[in-house]
Amino acid sequence: MRTAPNLDWPLFLCALVLGSAAPVGAQVTAIRAGRLVNPETGSTAANQVILIERGRFTAIGPGLAIPQGAEVIDLSDLTVLPGLVDAHNHLALTYKQVPENNVYYLTYVMESTPLRAIQAASNGIQMLTSGFTIVRDMGNNANYADAALRIAIEQGWIPGPTIINSGLIIGGMGGQFWPTPEMAVDKKIVYPEYLDADTPDEIVKAVRQNALFGARVIKICVDCKPWGYSVDEIGLFIKEAAKIGMKVEGHVQTVDGARRAITAGIWSIAHDRGLTDEMHKLMAQKGIWRAGTETPSSLTGHTTPERYAATVAGLKNAWENKVPLTFSTDADYYVPGKHRGEVAIEFVETWKAAGIPNADILRAMTINGYRVSETEKTRGPIAPGLIADLIAVRGNPLERIDALRDVRFVMKDGMVFKRDGVMVPERFFHGGPVNGWNIR
Ligand SMILES: [Zn+2]
């Protein structure tokens, strides 16, 4: 898509809705799928053929004729399904036991934006190899390293998931930090890990700043400080973001904060601490997405037995109340022996512990992920006309959700990224932009 040198606002809005264009290539690819899972219906179809051309699905069905000259990919031993979504991660942040004792205030002080952007590129690849084709990257990414990651992937420089990024997290003075006066006032240390906005004018300006620098969604701290944002202030965020076609996610950690966010009609709520049975009922009524970031007990040191029990009970309660559920991890730390994708997939443990049926876990990881990311009409489902992202595993995740732990095949934008369990990313590296020059 060509645009005039000045940012063309209607086209920019159009790009927001449509996502990046698929790469051009007339070659037809035909995938033979032994089993094809439809997470929407929770059903499996045997022996399907999936046709792909110019990066998009063109036809899906049993016994489709394979055009002459098509590249045939034989996945007849595997189960094919749409790509997974992590609805809450921070790819440009990895705090660690050594040297910072898992305190990310120190990570932020010690690691530069360029370094964290490179780390984000690596983390994105780690997520993609585990089958996550979409990641909502919700802030704590230094000085817009998340926007840089999204743009680099969209321009075809590196492989990675489709990134729905928030830019800087907007909060009242201090963000999620408790800085000293000399650090906060004299050194402005909170910026750019957080963007302070304490008045209506600052709220409007902060949303516009994030939009200008490449955010695709707005993330706010609803109650990171005891005063937090009021219903009216949250409403102002939602109104300003809507002008640019963006939704608002709230970091929520108290019941009061949850109530204010829900009353204001926020798009999604991150974290489960404030989400009681009453809040779940309100969320279900209003159709507010839950990105509960349910840390499993197997990730030692990142939850406690008491906290984990509350997390499992909360997730179960949310499911019973029919709250719209997404799979979300907040997996922004280093776990020795695991890459970022392996840490993220570990979160299915919590969902299993909550007794949620496999079909509903898979729905949260796919269909609901596309909806909360607002990509469901452009990418996600395996359907004609949509951009061709898919994965394949041994076994069937509808019968055993742990089948997702061993992703054997990944296709992104119609190109093979992983085959026979091995990354083959060569086609994902381009010297120049594949989707036009406009970096927004
Ligand atoms: Zn987070």
Side-chain angles (χ1 to χ4, degrees):
M1 178 161 48
R2 281 183 163 272
T3 57
N6 290 325
L7 182 63
D8 185 311
W9 205 244
L11 279 176
F12 170 55
L13 287 174
C14 177
L16 273 181
V17 173
L18 295 176
S20 62
V24 175
Q27 172 75 40
V28 175
T29 303
I31 295 178
R32 291 188 185 282
R35 291 166 299 276
L36 177 61
V37 165
N38 181 346
E40 182 88 68
T41 55
S43 60
T44 309
N47 299 320
Q48 300 290 298
V49 174
I50 302 166
L51 297 180
I52 295 142
E53 195 176 339
R54 296 179 190 273
R56 290 177 187 269
F57 297 117
T58 54
I60 299 113
L64 288 184
I66 295 178
Q68 213 158 28
E71 179 197 4
V72 179
I73 297 172
D74 186 9
L75 304 179
S76 48
D77 289 341
L78 300 178
T79 302
V80 172
L81 66 151
L84 309 178
V85 183
D86 183 346
H88 187 115
N89 205 313
H90 307 275
L91 296 181
L93 173 64
T94 306
Y95 54 84
K96 328 168 269 304
Q97 184 62 34
V98 179
E100 67 263 46
N101 198 28
N102 286 320
V103 177
Y104 78 100
Y105 185 78
L106 299 178
T107 320
Y108 160 62
V109 170
M110 291 188 297
E111 297 185 358
S112 68
T113 296
L115 187 64
R116 289 173 64 180
I118 294 169
Q119 186 174 51
S122 178
N123 280 333
I125 291 167
Q126 295 164 40
M127 292 296 285
L128 188 57
T129 197
S130 287
F132 290 93
T133 53
I134 298 175
V135 172
R136 290 174 86 236
D137 202 330
M138 303 308 296
N140 290 128
N141 287 313
N143 205 355
Y144 296 98
D146 56 331
L149 173 66
R150 177 180 61 72
I151 291 162
I153 293 168
E154 288 176 3
Q155 296 211 344
W157 299 344
I158 52 165
T162 294
I163 302 293
I164 311 295
N165 63 301
S166 75
L168 309 192
I169 299 174
I170 306 168
M173 186 179 181
Q176 283 181 267
F177 293 154
W178 292 89
T180 58
E182 52 269 45
M183 284 293 124
V185 178
D186 301 344
K187 305 287 186 192
K188 306 220 174 304
I189 194 162
V190 165
Y191 187 88
E193 205 63 18
Y194 294 93
L195 181 50
D196 287 348
D198 289 281
T199 64
D201 282 357
E202 288 172 355
I203 286 172
V204 168
K205 194 169 181 179
V207 171
R208 291 177 184 181
Q209 173 178 324
N210 272 344
L212 178 64
F213 296 144
R216 290 291 187 258
V217 62
I218 294 297
K219 166 87 177 290
I220 67 171
C221 258
V222 169
D223 54 3
C224 295
K225 298 287 175 283
W227 43 95
Y229 284 128
S230 67
V231 174
D232 285 348
E233 287 164 336
I234 300 168
L236 181 57
F237 275 111
I238 296 170
K239 197 172 135 206
E240 192 60 27
K243 288 183 191 166
I244 319 154
M246 291 197 285
K247 299 296 198 292
V248 178
E249 169 155 305
H251 166 108
V252 166
Q253 58 193 44
T254 63
V255 179
D256 259 11
R259 193 186 303 278
R260 296 197 301 271
I262 294 166
T263 304
I266 207 157
W267 176 249
S268 55
I269 290 181
H271 315 302
D272 62 358
R273 284 171 189 261
L275 303 182
T276 57
D277 177 69
E278 184 195 358
M279 295 305 118
H280 282 150
K281 287 183 164 61
L282 293 171
M283 287 171 77
Q285 255 173 39
K286 289 195 150 194
I288 293 171
W289 293 104
R290 186 186 198 268
T293 66
E294 299 86 1
T295 309
S297 58
S298 48
L299 297 179
T300 315
H302 295 285
T303 186
T304 61
E306 299 73 31
R307 182 75 211 115
Y308 180 63
T311 295
V312 169
L315 183 56
K316 190 172 197 298
N317 179 271
W319 179 76
E320 287 168 350
N321 276 305
K322 298 189 166 50
V323 177
L325 300 180
T326 68
F327 183 82
S328 60
T329 66
D330 207 13
D332 50 5
Y333 37 82
Y334 172 54
V335 177
K338 289 188 191 297
H339 66 56
R340 183 61 68 92
E342 290 168 333
V343 175
I345 204 68
E346 189 67 28
F347 281 63
V348 297
E349 289 304 311
T350 313
W351 291 69
K352 284 158 58 185
I356 299 181
N358 292 339
D360 286 343
I361 301 177
L362 196 59
R363 209 166 278 132
M365 298 178 86
T366 55
I367 301 295
N368 290 358
Y370 314 143
R371 288 186 182 140
V372 77
S373 306
E374 299 190 286
T375 70
E376 75 273 22
K377 293 194 172 71
T378 54
R379 69 166 77 232
I382 299 175
L386 270 60
I387 296 168
D389 296 350
L390 59 77
I391 66 173
V393 297
R394 294 184 179 122
N396 188 336
L398 288 173
E399 289 156 17
R400 198 180 71 89
I401 199 72
D402 282 305
L404 297 175
R405 286 175 177 276
D406 185 16
V407 171
R408 308 300 298 169
F409 180 91
V410 176
M411 173 174 275
K412 177 94 194 310
D413 296 322
M415 298 185 289
V416 177
F417 172 75
K418 186 179 193 181
R419 192 196 288 265
D420 299 326
V422 178
M423 285 188 259
V424 285
E426 197 162 353
R427 290 179 69 192
F428 287 81
F429 293 100
H430 296 264
V434 295
N435 286 314
W437 63 270
N438 194 332
I439 65 164
R440 298 284 180 245

